[in-house]
Amino acid sequence: MPAAYAQSATATSASATLHLEGLMANPRTLTAADIAALPHHEQTTTDKEGKKHVYRGVALRDVLHLAGAPEGKGIHGAVLAEALLASAADGYQVVYALPEIDADFSPQTILLADHRDGQLLPAHDGPYQLIVPLEKKPTRWMHQVTGLKVVKVQ
Ligand SMILES: Nc1nc2c(c(=O)[nH]1)N[C@H]1C(S)=C(S)[C@@H](COP(=O)(O)O)O[C@H]1N2
Ligand SMILES: [Mo]
């Protein structure tokens, strides 16, 4: 790992936290170190100007697993009327259905990214941004993610 990369990873650890709450076995606040310890994946995406970018981060499902959110065979029955409500530092909120996130249901890996093109995400986007690879519009590619809450829809 180049020295510059190691330094930037340390900078993330100092500041970033992610609140996991709601209908999960073990609601908790994750530190950047908790997130950094998860397996990392890369996704290559194309922006609206046709330019390719490589996002690097962890699978959203692996983040939720740390707090015991519904997954796999646990997504059935009444749980199908629950959803993940994500919140950002600017007050933006987005809902994701639980099967969209789960590997048993969905062919895509929604990523909680912390790097783009080898650099830490800029303040406008980071420290964490959700990447929804199969989704053509970036409306749910939430910047500045601060909280993930599993809620009952009705
Ligand atoms: N936190 C946050 N994330 C957000 C938004 C927002 O207002 N706040 N807007 C969304 C919309 S509608 C779009 S089109 C893209 C815009 O991303 P950009 O600013 O990198 O072009 O971010 C998405 N993620
Ligand atoms: Mo948008």
Side-chain angles (χ1 to χ4, degrees):
M1 182 186 288
Y5 187 95
Q7 278 169 12
S8 64
T10 307
T12 311
S13 325
S15 54
T17 59
L18 188 63
H19 303 289
L20 302 184
E21 56 181 330
L23 303 172
M24 45 184 71
N26 179 29
R28 55 188 287 198
T29 295
L30 299 180
T31 64
D34 296 326
I35 294 166
L38 293 172
H40 278 61
H41 306 264
E42 287 186 348
Q43 292 277 1
T44 302
T45 66
T46 307
D47 69 19
K48 52 184 183 288
E49 282 86 39
K51 198 161 175 281
K52 288 204 184 306
H53 296 283
V54 179
Y55 284 92
R56 179 175 165 76
V58 299
L60 177 57
R61 59 173 178 266
D62 291 345
V63 172
L64 293 173
H65 177 80
L66 292 178
E71 62 184 351
K73 291 185 171 56
I75 302 178
H76 71 119
V79 173
L80 289 164
E82 297 175 2
L84 184 74
L85 176 65
S87 298
D90 61 353
Y92 196 64
Q93 293 190 308
V94 169
V95 159
Y96 305 85
L98 297 179
E100 290 184 279
I101 301 162
D102 194 83
D104 287 358
F105 288 85
S106 177
Q108 76 178 327
T109 296
I110 299 180
L111 210 60
L112 184 77
D114 52 13
H115 284 77
R116 179 175 57 227
D117 303 330
Q119 308 280 338
L120 273 181
L121 290 176
H124 169 264
D125 298 337
Y128 300 115
Q129 180 179 1
L130 288 168
I131 305 300
V132 193
L134 295 181
E135 200 141 273
K136 293 188 288 181
K137 277 171 77 84
T139 315
R140 298 202 300 170
W141 294 36
M142 174 185 268
H143 307 147
Q144 301 179 4
V145 182
T146 55
L148 300 170
K149 183 176 187 178
V150 176
V151 298
K152 187 158 168 44
V153 170
Q154 200 176 55

